[in-house]
Amino acid sequence: MGNFNELLHGFGIALTFQHVLIIVGGVLLGLVVGVLPGLGAPNGVSLLLPLTFTMDQVSAIILLTSMYWGALFGGSTTSILFNIPGEPSSVATTFDGYPMARRGQTARALTLAFGSAGFGALSGVVVITLLANWMASFALQFGPAEYFAVYFMAFAGFVGMSSNGAGKTVVSMMLGFACATVGIDTISGSARLTFGMDSLISGISFLTAVIGLFGLGELLMTIEEGTKFQGAKARMPAREILVTLAEIPRYWRTVIRSTLIGCWMGITPGGPTAASFTSYGMARRMSRNGAQFGQGQPEGIVAPEAADHSAGSCALLPMLTLGIPGSATAAVMMGGLMIWGLSPGPMLFSERPDFVWGLIASMYMGNVIAMVLVLATVPLFAAFLRVPFKIIGPIIAVVCLTGAFTVASKEFDIWLALAFGAAGYIFKKLDYPLAPFVLAMVLGDKAEDAFRQAMLSSGGEASIFWANKLVGAMMVIGILLLALPLVAPLWRRVSGRGKSSAAPRPAVAKES
């Protein structure tokens, strides 16, 4: 009952006129971010962060999470109408969503996507509601060694569960660690990796890096690919929407299975992109119509959407309770909390319960409002996307560079954003994942501090990381995750399973 009473208190905070307006505005901004190639949820959230510095903390996080829900729904819109995923996690939706829309069943395809996405997202928020206090209480037992073990487990999880290859993930993560060490060492007070440049003494701005990597990098890729918006017509008759919503329960097994996959991969470092592809592959293997996937099968839309949105919701649970973001967007939000002077983790629940439960209550409202608004605005965004990219592209570039400058009002940050934009382009061309880089930038200094504090308290004895069952178990799990890329191919060879029957994945940026 404790969680329920606190959730009711959270609704009392979220259901004010001001916060409802913020949720509506955030969802609409998110829809714009989601439908425009070159932006995406991580970059959209990072661009909005400077605008929240004058807001109170509860209103600020409600705005960012509402934009996140809108971006997820918006990415599904372009996947189905134009075969252009606005979000990397929406790629799997294009496999069956676009063929169904091309057959003249646009309203059915979009309603299947939004209905299953809404169920997955709300299920993820229910999981957060039920587990948040328990995870926060559990984390209160942690000391420096336990915190390092958690960070190690998160890093190892990204390596072990990466769909890009363990080697590329490790390279991306190491570069992120290098960027996290730039500036003043928090323990010794000496400058590191500044190369004599005064502008780097304060470190590399996390927001500037994200804006460059996700915004400018994706923009360069879009320009190179010569994206053209030519898609199916978007009419959303109310009767067809209601008929399709009544059809979704027929696929209840697919919805529930995909939601469970998404919740698991949101809490662990799998992320929404991996969840959507995994659930699509599972649905294809377990469906009677598996051979027809890719031709407009309803289950091929329902599965990735339910998994994508449940993972997107659950990714916020480890971020709030443990300070471990479950996705790139959650990492950006965590950076925002730290900028506002809040420390994500178990103490946040005891020190700022109004903040935490107001946020969780707003998640329920944000997802419902996002479902209604996306159904109402599909024709508008379909028409908007027919504006030539030579007009939209420069606007996105100006918004990105303005956002980079706004972070600290330093011209140097504009050049940094351009440099990270070039790096993001190279990452995408070589199919290196960006999420491990972002995770390492956010958690690198925290992991280093926890490690050094643990070693100082033990007199330099590494045995502190095996001193009790809790820290020892987490270290063992981390080592097993690191070994997974080496063991999995051997296991497949021995068991004779061969390659997965899931649809081949196009080369796109990974958000996981």
Side-chain angles (χ1 to χ4, degrees):
M1 286 298 292
N3 284 20
F4 182 72
N5 291 332
E6 288 169 323
L7 181 62
L8 289 179
H9 174 66
F11 273 110
I13 296 171
L15 279 172
T16 62
F17 180 71
Q18 175 192 359
H19 287 155
V20 171
L21 282 181
I22 288 173
I23 292 172
V24 173
V27 168
L28 287 173
L29 284 171
L31 290 173
V32 174
V33 164
V35 302
L36 287 178
L39 284 179
N43 190 52
V45 171
S46 63
L47 286 172
L48 273 183
L49 267 177
L51 303 180
T52 65
F53 293 162
T54 58
M55 302 171 66
D56 68 90
Q57 294 161 338
V58 177
S59 299
I61 194 65
I62 286 176
L63 175 63
L64 296 183
T65 52
S66 300
M67 202 221 71
Y68 182 32
W69 310 135
L72 290 176
F73 281 101
S76 305
T77 303
T78 52
S79 295
I80 291 171
L81 291 182
F82 296 90
N83 202 30
I84 300 172
E87 286 286 310
S89 55
S90 300
V91 172
T93 306
T94 64
F95 299 157
D96 284 274
Y98 185 65
M100 184 180 287
R102 294 291 289 174
R103 292 204 311 254
Q105 300 179 11
T106 303
R108 184 187 179 207
L110 289 168
T111 306
L112 284 170
F114 301 147
S116 53
F119 179 86
L122 288 174
S123 299
V125 182
V126 170
V127 169
I128 293 176
T129 305
L130 296 176
L131 297 183
N133 269 340
W134 176 82
M135 285 188 70
S137 300
F138 177 69
L140 287 173
Q141 306 173 33
F142 289 9
E146 285 78 11
Y147 270 110
F148 174 76
V150 170
Y151 297 139
F152 173 69
M153 199 164 55
F155 298 140
F158 266 87
V159 175
M161 301 173 69
S162 172
S163 57
N164 300 80
K168 290 183 176 181
T169 301
V170 170
V171 170
S172 177
M173 197 173 288
M174 291 301 108
L175 291 172
F177 286 140
C179 290
T181 59
V182 174
I184 300 297
D185 179 9
T186 54
I187 293 181
S188 68
S190 59
R192 302 187 298 185
L193 299 180
T194 58
F195 305 103
M197 300 172 65
D198 293 340
S199 299
L200 287 176
I201 290 178
S202 58
I204 294 176
S205 167
F206 168 73
L207 292 180
T208 301
V210 171
I211 288 171
L213 288 169
F214 288 98
L216 297 177
E218 185 65 32
L219 187 62
L220 291 172
M221 285 293 295
T222 306
I223 292 171
E224 181 186 33
E225 292 166 0
T227 298
K228 295 181 180 178
F229 302 130
Q230 297 175 348
K233 293 182 179 179
R235 290 180 62 253
M236 301 294 291
R239 184 177 181 280
E240 194 167 350
I241 291 173
L242 295 175
V243 169
T244 306
L245 287 174
E247 178 188 353
I248 292 178
R250 289 168 49 189
Y251 312 110
W252 64 272
R253 287 187 181 87
T254 302
V255 172
I256 292 175
R257 180 177 62 245
S258 301
T259 298
L260 291 175
I261 291 172
C263 289
W264 172 252
M265 289 201 168
I267 295 173
T268 60
T273 302
S276 64
F277 280 104
T278 301
S279 61
Y280 183 87
M282 289 283 290
R284 184 178 181 179
R285 283 194 294 271
M286 302 184 74
S287 173
R288 290 183 230 170
N289 303 316
Q292 299 175 25
F293 270 52
Q295 302 173 25
Q297 278 296 305
E299 290 169 285
I301 301 173
V302 167
E305 285 297 307
D308 176 9
H309 286 68
S310 57
S313 298
C314 286
L316 299 181
L317 176 60
M319 185 269 283
L320 289 171
T321 57
L322 301 174
I324 305 291
S327 70
T329 310
V332 177
M333 290 186 186
M334 180 173 163
L337 296 183
M338 294 164 68
I339 290 172
W340 302 329
L342 298 173
S343 297
M347 295 306 296
L348 190 63
F349 282 74
S350 57
E351 295 174 355
R352 292 296 308 272
D354 57 330
F355 175 87
V356 173
W357 290 100
L359 166 62
I360 293 174
S362 75
M363 292 181 190
Y364 287 95
M365 298 165 55
N367 278 296
V368 173
I369 291 173
M371 269 196 67
V372 175
L373 286 179
V374 75
L375 286 169
T377 57
V378 162
L380 172 65
F381 284 115
F384 178 65
L385 279 170
R386 289 184 171 85
V387 175
F389 189 76
K390 62 184 179 182
I391 296 176
I392 295 177
I395 294 174
I396 295 174
V398 169
V399 170
C400 288
L401 294 177
T402 302
F405 179 77
T406 306
V407 172
S409 299
K410 294 194 301 185
E411 182 183 344
F412 182 74
D413 284 345
I414 296 177
W415 295 106
L416 265 183
L418 292 171
F420 276 105
Y425 170 77
I426 295 171
F427 269 58
K428 290 175 172 66
K429 287 291 289 183
L430 299 179
D431 199 27
Y432 277 73
L434 287 175
F437 183 97
V438 175
L439 181 80
M441 273 201 76
V442 173
L443 295 183
D445 56 343
K446 295 167 73 72
E448 181 190 5
D449 290 346
F451 177 80
R452 293 168 73 176
Q453 288 168 8
M455 294 299 285
L456 286 170
S457 65
S458 68
E461 293 291 332
S463 59
I464 191 172
F465 299 112
W466 311 93
N468 57 63
K469 292 180 180 179
L470 176 60
V471 67
M474 288 190 290
M475 292 297 291
V476 168
I477 292 172
I479 292 170
L480 291 175
L481 287 169
L482 282 178
L484 191 61
L486 300 175
V487 175
L490 296 175
W491 172 255
R492 283 197 297 268
R493 207 173 292 171
V494 170
S495 61
R497 291 179 182 177
K499 295 183 179 180
S500 170
S501 61
R505 218 170 43 159
V508 294
K510 309 300 185 296
E511 196 265 341
S512 53

